[in-house]
Amino acid sequence: MSLSTALSIAQSALLATSKQTSVVSRNVADASNPDYARRVAVVTSTAPGARSVEIQRAANDLLFRQNLSALSAWSGQSALYSGMDQLDLSVNGVDNASSPSTAIANLQQALQLYATTPSNQNLGASVIDAAKQVVRSLNDGTKAIQDFRTQTDGQIATAVDDLNSLLSQFQDANKAVIAGTRSGTDVSDALDQRDAILKKIAEYVPVSTFTRGDNDMVITTKDGTTLFETVPRSVTFTPSAGYTAGAPGNTIYIDNVPLSAGAGDNAGADGKLAGMLTLRDGVAATMQSQLDEIARGLITAFAETAPSKPNAAGLFTWSGAPAIPAAGTLVNGLAGSISVNAALDPSTGGSPSLLRDGGANGAAYISNTGGGASYSDLLIAYGNRLDQPMAFDTSAGITVSSGVSDYAASAIGWFEGVRQQASTNADAKEALAARTAEALSNDTGVNVDQEMSLLLDLEHTYQASARMMKTVDDMLDALLSAVG
């Protein structure tokens, strides 16, 4: 071997070792970055004694796709569960203190106390006050639900804007990958950036990807709708200025295809957008229907009856009074419009004694025809009606046959059951997202201990190459001295 060849080999080894050391140093520096994939410097021989270094990026497509799916599922479930917490507090208050069920229980107690001493009009006034609290809980609950739906609608609009922005960023990253691939330059950083953006996109909608020539990536949703192909597809949504009970929410469109939402406690359609759609049009809307059914049940339970006369609204009234709502049929928005009959309200010049005697709708409806101050039959009958099974619309999510007081309690039970299951699902999906992220990191991330060990080996290699160059240098000096 000639001295020039030996020198060339030593120089090549030093250059290769330098590049390898740079890659290892970069790995160590970005070890804590969850979006960084480990780089591997592969040394290849291109000619006798010559070496080149090719930088390869660690990747595992299967684990990455699993992580994307888990991220979508967790994001959707998390949005659903956190929204339920907010909704519960707005409608029912802390420990259900402001719920219709609690207010109805207080009304029953006041009614029972009045029935024991029907001559005491102060007790009658207490019943009216308790009835007002029931009305307040239903009116305020309706407003809270519709405000929540409007707020969620605004959050959906913001999320759609964010998703469109991410798709635009993805386009830039994808172009950088394609350009680098075509020119033969290292695209590891561009691939890291593209994958990081893809993870963020997966939090909004579930995605599926495939890669074409030149590393060009195409994104579709789980149901096959194209989200990105060369250019981003449009994600559109028109928010509503406000909501009324029973009003449907606007749809999210991806490339003019409607985005589907999940249902109940488990967002079957993953992603933050689906979770918020489920909140707005599923959980909140069902909760509103239950309030409307409670209101209808109260109007029916306290309706006045008379021979050869239709039942008429009594203690509780509504816009369709004196008629009472049809049995077993949901009336959208009834909980927001129910009120206490002014004829029985002392604050408006009414008399609570009409609850004891009957006659809020005229003389034909008077039950206490003798005018006895101790008459309590009607008060006892009202109390019994609150517990008497009646027909409720099954579209409100509760199918049990019960009285209105039990139905109100069942509404709380329904919501708590849905929320608890949503919590369980959120924990399970969060754990899955964490496990898939950990598995991906273990396979493609940086192990600092291994990198430091590799760095030590490279240091030894560098020292050997340097000694070889020093030996060649000494031999050249000796040769030049001999010639001279």
Side-chain angles (χ1 to χ4, degrees), residues 69-201:
S69 178
L71 282 173
S72 292
W74 176 38
S75 180
Q77 195 68 47
S78 178
L80 182 60
Y81 175 59
S82 60
M84 284 183 182
D85 270 352
Q86 179 186 345
L87 186 60
D88 182 42
L89 189 62
S90 299
V91 177
N92 293 325
V94 179
D95 296 328
N96 299 316
S98 58
S99 69
S101 179
T102 300
I104 291 173
N106 293 335
L107 173 62
Q108 283 184 293
Q109 292 178 358
L111 193 61
Q112 290 169 358
L113 190 59
Y114 187 27
T116 60
T117 315
S119 60
N120 188 338
Q121 290 308 299
N122 288 329
L123 295 179
S126 296
V127 174
I128 304 303
D129 288 339
K132 287 181 178 179
Q133 183 56 46
V134 172
V135 166
R136 223 169 0 250
S137 70
L138 291 169
N139 292 166
D140 292 349
T142 294
K143 184 178 184 304
I145 290 173
Q146 302 314 320
D147 287 348
F148 175 84
R149 295 185 72 201
T150 303
Q151 176 188 343
T152 303
D153 207 64
Q155 292 172 349
I156 292 172
T158 300
V160 167
D161 290 341
D162 291 343
L163 177 57
N164 281 317
S165 176
L166 287 170
L167 289 171
S168 178
Q169 295 173 38
F170 184 88
Q171 181 182 19
D172 294 337
N174 193 57
K175 286 180 178 178
V177 171
I178 295 172
T181 301
R182 289 174 178 172
S183 64
T185 58
D186 179 27
V187 294
S188 298
D189 288 343
L191 287 170
D192 279 350
Q193 182 184 12
R194 189 173 73 175
D195 284 355
I197 296 172
L198 190 57
K199 288 180 183 179
K200 294 178 181 178
I201 292 173

Side-chain angles (χ1 to χ4, degrees), residues 1 15-16 34 104 116 125 127 155 177 185 190 210-212 239 250 272 274 285 308 317 328 376-377 435 470 475 478:
M1 179 186 299
L15 182 60
I104 291 173
T116 60
V127 174
Q155 292 172 349
V177 171
T185 58
F210 64 91
T211 305
R212 304 185 295 195
N250 290 331
K272 186 183 298 184
S308 303
T317 188
S376 63
D377 292 358
R435 284 197 297 269
K470 179 66 169 62
M475 293 176 70

